[in-house]
Amino acid sequence: MSKTFWLAGAAALLLAVTPAHAAWKGFFNKDAGFSFNAPTGLKSEKANYRFANGQTRPATVYRVVEDDIQYRVTIADAGAMKEADAIKAASDTFNGGGRKMLSNEEARVDSNYGRKLSLDLANNGGRQVISIFFNK
């Protein structure tokens, strides 16, 4: 089985703050070994994920927009990258670009370690919260 990592992000608002009328649904991806809740209407598409180290890997992006908030999960094949290298390369992807890093800390979900980032977007574009995890 190939190694994967996943990124979960919500632009403009924290995931914990949702409109009262938003209908949410649980999603589970057995191959990547993760589950999450998101507004209904989630769509998936194949993509390429470009790590900060320049490496491009195949990915699947799950995305939905609800009340001008984009919820997105990206599952990327990390190939032969080691866990720490994949997490660092994914984290470094979000530095720069006019964004201001508010926090960058260790995170854990069950036995999976990763990073949790919080960024202010350029030009008062809102806030982005990102969780990065690696699954063997």
Side-chain angles (χ1 to χ4, degrees), residues 2 7 25-26 38 43 49 51 57-59 72 77 95 107 125 128:
S2 64
L7 306 158
K25 180 181 177 185
K43 304 283 186 210
Y49 183 81
F51 288 91
R57 302 292 304 161
R72 183 178 65 209
D77 181 346
N95 286 329
Q128 188 172 28

Side-chain angles (χ1 to χ4, degrees), residues 27-50:
F27 296 92
F28 178 73
N29 184 308
K30 183 179 177 182
D31 295 332
F34 81 99
S35 63
F36 65 101
N37 292 319
T40 57
L42 191 71
K43 304 283 186 210
S44 68
E45 64 183 9
K46 296 294 181 189
N48 288 309
Y49 183 81
R50 184 176 173 90

